[in-house]
Amino acid sequence: MTNHHQPARGEPRVALVTCTALPDLDPDDRLALDPLAARGIAAEAVVWDDPAVDWSGYDLVVLRSPWDYALRRDEFVAWARTVPTLVNPADVVAWNTDKRYLAELSAAGVPTVPTAWVEPGDEWAPPAGTGEYVIKPAVSAGSQDTGRYDLADPEHRELAVAHVRRLSAAGRVTMVQPYLSAVDTAGETALLFLAGPDGLAFSHAIRKGPMLTGPDRGVAELYKEERIDARTATPEQLDTAEKTLAVVPGGTDRLLYARVDLIPGPAGAPVLVELELTEPSLFVGHADGAPDRLAAAIATHLARRS
């Protein structure tokens, strides 16, 4: 819940932006509160669409867990544009909350999961033959409205068509991607970057286990439990992440954080699944010193604005 205390004179105020379902923040984000307090920074959880909030009263507004924005993306982006001290900044939010940015990154030479895009109103049929595919909306948070389909199964083919039609009827762009089977064994690797004195720097990496077990049947489920483990990033993964970040519009110097999600492709080399610059879980609880590094990143951005 938002803390309405008045900070000590001269103490910088930071809003950690969340949603009504998580008024006290995600537990992982709360790990940064003590390191922030130790730096003399007054941080409080604030719900992004609370009309009573005076955003001008904060020295920095940090996006953390506003995970209900997906069905209200236009409203969310419009709100972001009213907050001048927002990090990551509003133009990054506008670009990154629509996963069609993957097409831009692919065109720039970043290895990405092959993706077909289905616009609302377009007819779509499953690819011929067999294989597994993932279907999800271009604007989404977590694994909401996301399903995994085995095209060798006639029922799955029908459910896949129904999924695309459901998204299309809601005016949403659909993504269709081959399911990369390596996620079932190697998992997904998330590389976390945090702002430092010399710009965005690698902080830590984690492994996420597979989450998609079958078709989406139209039941809303925003928060799914994830299996998370610490992981050591490989030089090849770090290189792919750096190549990805190098083509972020406007550069990375403005960013407080970035998360680069990778899966081994068919040949084993890492390919980009998502670039999370808006509201990613940072998994600071899975790496020694990471909560302090997040606090230091926030202090760095405060110093730039002073």
Side-chain angles (χ1 to χ4, degrees), residues 207-247:
R207 176 192 184 276
K208 293 197 289 182
M211 293 180 63
L212 297 179
T213 57
D216 175 76
R217 298 180 184 271
V219 179
E221 188 176 4
L222 180 55
Y223 309 111
K224 289 187 179 180
E225 186 177 351
E226 296 177 305
R227 179 175 176 178
I228 306 297
D229 301 291
R231 168 166 276 180
T232 300
T234 67
E236 192 173 22
Q237 288 170 337
L238 287 166
D239 181 65
T240 301
E242 295 288 355
K243 287 178 178 176
T244 301
L245 293 170
V247 294

Side-chain angles (χ1 to χ4, degrees), residues 27-32 192 194 203-204 206 281-294:
D28 190 70
D29 288 325
R30 291 201 293 269
L31 297 175
L192 287 305
L194 296 170
S203 170
H204 59 286
I206 59 95
S281 294
L282 297 174
F283 305 112
V284 294
H286 293 270
D288 290 342
D292 194 67
R293 288 194 290 277
L294 176 55

Side-chain angles (χ1 to χ4, degrees), residues 5-13 40-42 59:
H5 80 281
Q6 290 298 314
R9 184 177 181 85
E11 189 177 50
R13 295 183 72 206
I41 298 170
D59 299 287

Side-chain angles (χ1 to χ4, degrees), residues 36-274:
L36 285 167
R39 286 172 166 78
I41 298 170
E44 56 195 67
V46 189
V47 174
W48 73 271
D49 58 351
D50 182 349
V53 176
D54 177 12
W55 298 103
S56 66
Y58 294 98
D59 299 287
L60 195 68
V61 177
V62 180
L63 288 168
R64 288 312 314 124
S65 49
W67 293 334
D68 60 355
Y69 78 86
L71 297 179
R72 304 158 60 193
R73 180 200 173 241
D74 290 347
E75 179 186 347
F76 181 67
V77 170
W79 163 81
R81 288 175 172 147
T82 70
V83 186
T85 58
L86 189 71
V87 284
N88 288 333
D91 63 303
V92 172
V93 170
W95 179 75
N96 188 240
T97 49
D98 186 328
K99 293 181 178 63
R100 282 177 286 187
Y101 68 76
L102 288 169
E104 295 181 40
L105 295 179
S106 178
V110 175
T112 62
V113 179
T115 305
W117 308 91
V118 185
E119 297 288 335
D122 287 355
E123 288 295 320
W124 178 81
T130 60
E132 290 191 279
Y133 284 80
V134 173
I135 293 175
K136 58 185 175 182
V139 178
S140 65
S143 296
Q144 191 176 28
D145 301 312
T146 300
R148 172 181 171 181
Y149 300 89
D150 182 353
L151 299 188
D153 184 330
E155 182 188 11
H156 276 222
R157 297 182 76 89
E158 292 178 5
L159 289 170
V161 171
H163 189 172
V164 174
R165 285 177 177 167
R166 188 164 59 247
L167 293 174
S168 181
R172 305 173 78 183
V173 175
T174 301
M175 305 168 60
V176 182
Q177 300 175 317
Y179 183 78
L180 300 183
S181 60
V183 75
D184 292 329
T185 52
E188 183 176 321
T189 301
L191 284 73
L192 287 305
F193 293 78
L194 296 170
D198 300 316
L200 209 59
F202 175 69
S203 170
H204 59 286
I206 59 95
R207 176 192 184 276
K208 293 197 289 182
M211 293 180 63
L212 297 179
T213 57
D216 175 76
R217 298 180 184 271
V219 179
E221 188 176 4
L222 180 55
Y223 309 111
K224 289 187 179 180
E225 186 177 351
E226 296 177 305
R227 179 175 176 178
I228 306 297
D229 301 291
R231 168 166 276 180
T232 300
T234 67
E236 192 173 22
Q237 288 170 337
L238 287 166
D239 181 65
T240 301
E242 295 288 355
K243 287 178 178 176
T244 301
L245 293 170
V247 294
V248 171
T252 60
D253 288 345
R254 302 178 303 150
L255 304 182
L256 176 65
Y257 50 69
R259 196 182 90 197
V260 183
D261 294 345
L262 305 173
I263 292 177
V271 297
L272 181 71
V273 182
E274 289 189 23

